[in-house]
Amino acid sequence: MLVSIDFNNFHFQSNENLGAIEIGTFLGLILFGILLGQAYSYFGRSRKDRFALRLLVSILVLLELVHTLLLAASIYYDTVTTWEAPRTNTYTLSTATFFENLITIIVQLCFAHRIHRLSDKGRPSMIALICVVLAVLRFVGAFAVGVEGMLDVAHDGGTGVFVVRVSWLITSTLSVGAAADVLIAASMIYYLRRLSSPTHLRRTTDILNRLTRWTVQTGLLTSLAHVAAILCFQTIGNLVWLAIYIVLAKLYSNSLLMILNARPGTGPLTLNETTSIEFGGTTSGTRTVTTLQLSHLHHDTSEIQVDVTVDKA
């Protein structure tokens, strides 16, 4: 059976609307594949991590799976189910924003907790507290936008006109998210660089430099994505900003797993690197030399392996 389409009466969304959402979804699928690889690497390397952390990563991957399926369902609905009269907004697309919002606040709170641990002041860190406040404000704003999206589908048929009505809320939410990301990235860079010193083992310094590099790349990347979404929303009258917003969740999840995988592995203890420290002393004409060989161990333990060799001359 041949199917013909009358293109004269074929009303479909433009490249800037449905096309933008499709591109965002396809990029999200690529980032989701990278996320699965990151998760596989994490669970293979971090068997000694706390159960709570491993459970958090599992929940994050599950949320990303649901988020990805919702976006795919939204594309299918617009291009297959309602191909004759596609709508700007759908229930699946609005629901996906709730999952993006939940993923974002989980990752931002994890980074805020890490900043608190790195500050090592024995009391709540003011910077970490500010990060938490910004993350919560961003969560509340994005949740309100998601509710407006649901109401738009229920009452206006998914026209998307609510975006004009709550444009100030969308801009404010994206701005707060960008501010939180910049503060998180800057704080982690500061604390990680402060931990790096000439007295540390070379391997430890390499790890800190790697963590700093990932912090710069991932923290600034999500910040730039927020800024790009704001600029597109304010200057371009289409859904390009939504395509950027779609991939934000994937960027956040990958950033957290990249930081976790940048840590040293948790496998068997090995003498990958040793540092020798000699102490010399003289007792009754006998010279004693003690050599300490310190091996770098996993980040979650304070244990130090010491080999002592005593030479008497």
Side-chain angles (χ1 to χ4, degrees):
M1 177 179 178
L2 298 177
V3 178
S4 60
I5 298 177
D6 183 6
F7 287 95
N8 293 325
N9 298 319
F10 184 71
H11 302 288
F12 202 69
Q13 291 173 301
S14 65
N15 293 331
E16 294 80 7
N17 293 325
L18 181 60
I21 298 177
E22 286 185 346
I23 292 174
T25 301
F26 294 152
L27 290 177
L29 289 173
I30 295 173
L31 291 174
F32 181 65
I34 297 175
L35 176 68
L36 292 179
Q38 293 280 352
Y40 179 81
S41 176
Y42 169 77
F43 287 112
R45 289 164 44 91
S46 305
R47 296 184 180 89
K48 293 184 180 179
D49 273 352
R50 296 186 304 275
F51 173 77
L53 181 58
R54 292 169 61 85
L55 178 62
L56 178 65
V57 174
S58 301
I59 293 174
L60 199 62
V61 174
L62 180 60
L63 291 175
E64 283 289 1
L65 175 61
V66 177
H67 180 257
T68 302
L69 292 177
L70 286 171
L71 292 176
S74 178
I75 295 297
Y76 181 89
Y77 184 82
D78 281 342
T79 58
V80 177
T81 305
T82 61
W83 64 272
E84 292 180 324
R87 293 185 292 179
T88 304
N89 187 24
T90 61
Y91 280 120
T92 53
L93 186 60
S94 296
T95 305
T97 62
F98 288 105
F99 281 88
E100 183 280 333
N101 193 26
L102 187 58
I103 292 168
T104 298
I105 192 172
I106 288 176
V107 176
Q108 287 182 333
L109 291 180
C110 286
F111 283 143
H113 176 70
R114 180 175 289 269
I115 291 171
H116 169 67
R117 295 290 298 272
L118 290 173
S119 63
D120 194 24
K121 295 181 178 179
R123 61 179 184 277
S125 171
M126 182 58 64
I127 296 179
L129 181 60
I130 295 175
C131 292
V132 171
V133 172
L134 292 175
V136 172
L137 289 176
R138 198 252 187 211
F139 175 82
V140 173
F143 183 84
V145 173
V147 172
E148 288 288 341
M150 286 290 190
L151 295 177
D152 172 72
V153 179
H155 301 302
D156 298 328
T159 60
V161 294
F162 78 98
V163 173
V164 179
R165 184 172 63 252
V166 297
S167 60
W168 64 272
L169 180 60
I170 296 175
T171 303
S172 301
T173 299
L174 294 174
S175 300
V176 171
D181 290 342
V182 170
L183 182 58
I184 288 172
S187 302
M188 290 187 65
I189 291 171
Y190 169 75
Y191 287 121
L192 290 174
R193 295 304 298 177
R194 192 179 67 173
L195 291 176
S196 178
S197 70
T199 60
H200 288 163
L201 298 177
R202 180 168 54 84
R203 179 171 172 81
T204 304
T205 302
D206 291 341
I207 293 169
L208 291 172
N209 289 335
R210 193 180 351 164
L211 287 171
T212 301
R213 183 170 64 253
W214 282 122
T215 301
V216 173
Q217 293 173 349
T218 56
L220 293 183
L221 186 59
T222 51
S223 301
L224 291 175
H226 271 106
V227 173
I230 294 172
L231 293 177
C232 292
F233 179 72
Q234 292 292 332
T235 59
I236 304 177
N238 51 44
L239 297 181
V240 173
W241 69 273
L242 185 58
I244 301 174
Y245 184 80
I246 285 174
V247 301
L248 266 176
K250 305 293 186 293
L251 294 177
Y252 276 109
S253 299
N254 276 288
S255 68
L256 178 61
L257 283 174
M258 285 177 181
I259 289 292
L260 293 177
N261 287 332
R263 305 170 305 169
T266 60
L269 302 181
T270 58
L271 292 175
N272 292 328
E273 177 183 341
T274 60
T275 298
S276 297
I277 306 174
E278 294 187 353
F279 302 92
T282 303
T283 304
S284 301
T286 301
R287 180 173 178 271
T288 302
V289 178
T290 304
T291 302
L292 302 181
Q293 292 188 333
L294 309 179
S295 60
H296 183 75
L297 301 181
H298 181 249
H299 66 287
D300 282 341
T301 178
S302 58
E303 181 182 357
I304 297 178
Q305 180 176 332
V306 180
D307 294 333
V308 180
T309 303
V310 179
D311 294 330
K312 294 184 178 181

